[in-house]
Amino acid sequence: MSELGAGTRGASLGLDAMRIASFKLNPKFFKKYKVDEVKHLNNMLFEEDATPYAKRLDGIVQMYKRIEESIDEVLDHGYFPIVISGDHSNAGGTIAGIKTAYPNKRLGVIWIDAHADLHSPYTSPSGNVHGMPLATALSEDNLDCKLKKVPETTLQYWNQLKGQSPRIQYSDLVFIALRSTEMPEDYLILRNKVPVIRVQEVREIGPVKTAEKALNYLKDCDIIYISFDVDSMDPSVSRGTGTPVPGGLFEEEATAIIVRLLEDPRVVCLEFTEINPVLDDKGNAMGEAAFRILNTVVDVLKSNN
């Protein structure tokens, strides 16, 4: 549960929040399923940051590798990984692991999130790497929107995150519930014609058709990864996430979208991220909402298999 990429502390407690929620909702859940914990490097948060334009990048490089190896191993053994990560920077490692396991497969990504996470060290206003995972997967610097001169040490780590070549293509990316972006991200979305399904459209066509529309955009992909950031949901569900944004999905909508997506046999991995009980002003409301969704989708996966 690494939280090196977040701007606020507490995302490393996301799994604990879901476990606590399970005591009330399904106390045997975490006894049924094997949980492999990737060793984190959160101790680095107490050390001086050597890469302020992309904070804690030296540690995140190590976390990417650890997550990549773990995902690769799980997929190689024929299992479906459900990743419960700390902050969203970890998703770049998950994508790397999927591509390592399926190097010759065309990977589609469904990004259910209030944010685009397309920044690079050149464009990020905060330097928080949880706003950069898609840029690493796309091997995107976005120099057209360059705002900063980035030190060479930072770039060396950044290039390690990006790898030798893009792991995904813009044509194989879909956003759902996107509603908080900065100009450099908007530039990339418009230039590359990335589909965005807004919350208003979800309400107009319904969550099932929303999922089907996203899947249709990725009809040429061999495999699909779903990244579910809980800040895609409205703060009325809970403010227990690092960057809540008004106007999001309701829990029932998020659940229905993910359930329908998982009916597609091409989906090989699902990630839950950015659950932060430290910021929750409703007790453990976000942990409970996230666990209810997890509990439902696991039942769906079992029935599909």
Side-chain angles (χ1 to χ4, degrees):
M1 296 295 292
S2 173
E3 59 172 279
L4 293 178
T8 55
R9 305 280 64 83
S12 62
L13 301 173
L15 177 58
D16 290 336
M18 294 176 77
R19 280 176 165 152
I20 290 168
S22 75
F23 295 151
K24 179 169 65 175
L25 301 169
N26 185 352
K28 296 182 180 180
F29 182 89
F30 284 103
K31 286 186 177 181
K32 290 181 186 177
Y33 304 106
K34 181 181 179 182
V35 177
D36 290 328
E37 296 197 27
V38 178
K39 187 176 180 181
H40 63 71
L41 293 166
N42 292 336
N43 59 294
M44 294 182 70
L45 293 166
F46 298 98
E47 301 172 5
E48 185 177 353
D49 185 9
T51 57
Y53 289 103
K55 298 173 184 176
R56 313 291 174 187
L57 202 56
D58 48 348
I60 292 171
V61 166
Q62 296 181 61
M63 288 308 307
Y64 262 46
K65 191 61 179 176
R66 293 179 182 185
I67 296 167
E68 176 183 352
E69 291 173 351
S70 180
I71 295 295
D72 178 32
E73 181 179 2
V74 171
L75 289 170
D76 279 349
H77 282 88
Y79 296 112
F80 184 103
I82 296 179
V83 182
I84 302 173
S85 61
D87 71 75
H88 217 165
S89 67
N90 299 291
T94 303
I95 292 172
I98 296 170
K99 282 301 292 182
T100 299
Y102 300 109
N104 299 316
K105 300 285 188 180
R106 183 172 172 178
L107 172 60
V109 172
I110 299 175
W111 203 258
I112 309 173
D113 195 334
H115 307 91
D117 297 338
L118 283 168
H119 277 295
S120 77
Y122 294 103
T123 68
S124 172
S126 68
N128 296 324
V129 183
H130 70 169
M132 307 184 194
L134 276 177
T136 70
L138 291 157
S139 196
E140 178 64 75
D141 292 328
N142 196 7
L143 294 179
D144 288 349
C145 298
K146 180 179 177 180
L147 300 174
K148 306 171 184 177
K149 183 177 180 180
V150 181
E152 184 60 34
T153 302
T154 299
L155 292 181
Q156 289 175 3
Y157 287 124
W158 176 247
N159 288 331
Q160 288 182 57
L161 286 190
K162 292 191 299 179
Q164 299 298 314
S165 60
R167 300 178 179 102
I168 63 171
Q169 303 298 322
Y170 279 103
S171 58
D172 300 329
L173 170 64
V174 180
F175 289 107
I176 298 177
L178 185 69
R179 58 194 186 280
S180 178
T181 55
E182 282 83 34
M183 179 278 292
E185 297 175 303
D186 294 333
Y187 171 80
L188 292 174
I189 292 168
L190 289 171
R191 187 188 71 182
N192 295 285
K193 300 179 181 178
V194 181
V196 178
I197 305 175
R198 309 281 181 183
V199 175
Q200 181 180 352
E201 185 174 0
V202 175
R203 303 263 156 83
E204 290 172 353
I205 67 175
V208 172
K209 288 187 177 179
T210 295
E212 291 170 350
K213 187 171 184 177
L215 292 168
N216 186 59
Y217 280 127
L218 304 181
K219 62 182 181 299
D220 295 326
C221 293
D222 302 310
I223 55 175
I224 294 173
Y225 155 70
I226 305 166
S227 186
F228 173 57
D229 188 325
V230 295
D231 73 23
S232 63
M233 294 190 290
D234 192 76
S236 63
V237 177
S238 170
R239 298 186 66 84
T241 187
T243 48
V245 182
L249 300 169
F250 298 128
E251 179 186 333
E252 295 79 9
E253 293 169 327
T255 303
I257 289 169
I258 296 171
V259 165
R260 176 60 186 91
L261 292 174
L262 290 174
E263 292 176 0
D264 192 306
R266 296 176 297 162
V267 177
V268 297
C269 181
L270 167 65
E271 184 157 357
F272 287 70
T273 189
E274 295 283 357
I275 302 156
N276 189 334
V278 173
L279 303 176
D280 204 325
D281 58 0
K282 297 182 179 179
N284 190 29
M286 185 63 85
E288 292 180 359
F291 178 75
R292 282 192 293 269
I293 296 172
L294 174 67
N295 195 42
T296 298
V297 301
V298 166
D299 285 342
V300 170
L301 287 170
K302 287 167 59 180
S303 64
N304 289 346
N305 294 327

